[in-house]
């Protein structure tokens, strides 16, 4: 399979060829950091300051002035960009895109051609990619939403379901956040909402549309990350399996999970929800953490989250909710129980 130098490719063909050909994003580093096609490499034509200077020259002197400014700024580093491209290319081929598939990607395709690299350019650029993936989330997909009160071990249950052959997308894993005020503890930095959508699409497109897809019941935002509107609306159309586990079992799980973090980090997390906890409860929780009584602190906080989850549950359509009771904290056992309940959904 070959393509001509500088050939414009629509988004479907571009992504198909990206399975085997490296993708080079030639936008500036800040554009790339905000969001990019997963797996793409950044070889920017301009750094952030250079891009700004070219934009200023364009407004003052028009297209020709901007081209001259761009050549003056980027020209001295062309040899470095070309060497990176040569090392990245597979079978002497690359795929390239900029923001709209215009001058930046075309200029870099020309540069890469000097090393004999065949280059395909994404028609419409990264903007076309974003439109494409957001539209894909509007496709009706059969999902099963795994719900349950805080401390039910839903992430671990989903992991067991995946090991059993079920299709699973770990939304919290993609967002690097566990969903509560304490969700950032021990996690790497969160992606932008833009890049979260890109990561989500990579898993979304690789799942079989004929089989159900399991995801955890989440609010619109996971920490600072907001789910794409289309995907979130799709979730709301699908049934929810709510796992009901005894309060004390969940309390012990939370203590095991969070008591190892520093007192300062735990107090900071409590302060984030102090107004919702209520002043007295927040003070009691903070005092308990300071005294090392993590069970008491967790009990205060868990009762708040249980009320919040019940409130959210009332907004869902009752006929789409299936409740599964469990007296176990074993994720493997609970995975079997929710999987059995999902079989009932499929028969209905």
């Amino acid at each position: 399979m070959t393509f001509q130098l500088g050939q414009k490719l629509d988004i479907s063909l571009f992504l198909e060829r990206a399975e085997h050909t490296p993708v080079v994003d030639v936008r500036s580093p800040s554009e790339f950091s905000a969001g990019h096609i997963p797996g793409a490499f950044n070889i920017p034509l301009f750094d952030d300051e250079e891009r700004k200077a070219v934009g200023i020259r364009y407004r003052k002197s028009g297209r020709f002035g901007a081209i001259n400014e761009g050549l003056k700024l980027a020209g001295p580093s062309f040899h470095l960009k070309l060497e990176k491209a040569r090392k990245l290319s597979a079978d002497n081929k690359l795929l390239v895109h900029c923001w709209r598939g215009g001058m930046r990607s075309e200029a870099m395709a020309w540069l890469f051609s000097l090393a004999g690299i065949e280059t395909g350019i994404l028609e419409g650029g990264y903007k076309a990619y974003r439109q494409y993936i957001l539209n894909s989330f509007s496709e009706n997909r059969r999902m099963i939403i795994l719900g349950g009160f805080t401390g039910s071990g839903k992430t671990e249950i989903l992991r067991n379901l995946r090991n059993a052959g079920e299709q699973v997308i770990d939304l919290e894993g993609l967002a690097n956040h566990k969903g509560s005020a304490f969700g950032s503890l021990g996690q790497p930095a969160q992606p932008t909402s833009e890049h979260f959508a890109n990561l989500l699409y990579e898993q979304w497109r690789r799942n079989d549309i004929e089989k159900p897809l399991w995801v955890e019941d989440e609010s619109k935002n996971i920490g600072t990350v907001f789910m794409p509107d289309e995907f979130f609306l799709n979730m709301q159309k699908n049934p929810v399996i709510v796992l009901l586990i005894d309060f004390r079992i969940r309390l012990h799980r939370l203590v095991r999970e969070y008591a190892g973090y520093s007192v300062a980090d735990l107090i900071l997390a409590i302060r984030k929800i102090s107004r919702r906890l209520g002043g007295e409860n927040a003070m009691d929780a903070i005092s308990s953490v300071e005294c090392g009584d993590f069970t008491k602190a967790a009990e205060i906080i868990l009762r708040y989250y249980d009320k919040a989850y019940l409130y959210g549950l009332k907004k869902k359509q009752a006929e789409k909710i299936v409740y599964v009771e469990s007296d176990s904290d074993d994720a493997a056992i609970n995975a079997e129980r929710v999987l059995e309940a999902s079989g009932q959904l499929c028969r209905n």
Side-chain angles (χ1 to χ4, degrees), residues 130-143 197 200-201 204-205 209 227-238:
R130 287 287 299 173
Q131 292 173 338
Y132 182 83
I133 70 166
L134 293 177
N135 288 339
S136 79
F137 292 137
S138 299
E139 300 169 1
N140 285 326
R141 292 279 186 98
R142 190 155 56 102
M143 293 193 232
L200 177 60
Y201 173 71
W204 175 257
R205 73 187 180 103
I209 62 174
M227 277 191 268
D229 291 338
E230 299 84 353
F231 182 84
F232 186 69
L233 289 173
N234 227 329
M235 286 178 62
Q236 308 315 303
K237 300 174 186 175
N238 283 278

Side-chain angles (χ1 to χ4, degrees), residues 131-279:
Q131 292 173 338
Y132 182 83
I133 70 166
L134 293 177
N135 288 339
S136 79
F137 292 137
S138 299
E139 300 169 1
N140 285 326
R141 292 279 186 98
R142 190 155 56 102
M143 293 193 232
I144 301 175
I145 315 302
L146 178 60
F149 293 97
T150 299
S152 297
K154 297 184 289 294
T155 298
E156 195 174 344
I157 291 168
L158 288 174
R159 192 178 301 122
N160 275 269
L161 290 172
R162 177 182 283 144
N163 292 339
E166 296 295 309
Q167 296 188 139
V168 173
I169 293 182
D170 180 2
L171 298 173
E172 293 183 353
L174 292 179
N176 294 337
H177 200 282
K178 296 180 181 178
S180 71
F182 300 81
S184 64
L185 295 178
Q187 299 293 312
Q190 288 197 263
T192 63
S193 296
E194 177 183 317
H195 193 57
F196 172 84
N198 298 347
L199 295 169
L200 177 60
Y201 173 71
E202 281 302 298
Q203 297 197 21
W204 175 257
R205 73 187 180 103
R206 296 179 191 279
N207 283 293
D208 186 345
I209 62 174
E210 300 299 323
K211 298 177 181 179
L213 174 63
W214 290 80
V215 297
E216 186 172 339
D217 193 12
E218 303 283 355
S219 58
K220 184 72 165 58
N221 66 295
I222 308 173
T224 60
V225 164
F226 283 80
M227 277 191 268
D229 291 338
E230 299 84 353
F231 182 84
F232 186 69
L233 289 173
N234 227 329
M235 286 178 62
Q236 308 315 303
K237 300 174 186 175
N238 283 278
V240 184
I241 295 178
V242 177
L243 188 60
L244 301 176
I245 298 180
D246 182 79
F247 183 89
R248 306 309 297 185
I249 294 176
R250 293 184 289 113
L251 180 64
H252 292 152
R253 170 182 280 272
L254 290 178
V255 171
R256 289 197 311 270
E257 187 169 347
Y258 290 104
Y261 292 107
S262 73
V263 169
D265 284 342
L266 292 172
I267 290 176
L268 182 62
I270 293 170
R271 292 192 190 282
K272 291 178 183 177
I273 55 172
S274 60
R275 291 181 62 184
R276 284 172 282 174
L277 283 174

Side-chain angles (χ1 to χ4, degrees), residues 26-79:
V26 304
R27 297 175 303 148
S28 68
S30 64
E31 291 175 286
F32 184 83
S33 295
H36 55 269
I37 297 175
F41 299 91
N42 189 210
I43 305 181
L45 176 59
F46 304 122
D47 65 27
D48 294 317
E49 289 303 314
E50 289 168 346
R51 177 170 173 255
K52 181 179 178 181
V54 171
I56 292 172
R57 178 57 64 91
Y58 181 84
R59 290 190 292 274
K60 290 182 177 179
S61 307
R63 186 173 183 271
F64 185 73
I67 291 174
N68 268 343
E69 183 71 11
L71 288 171
K72 181 175 71 175
L73 293 172
S77 62
F78 272 179
H79 66 291

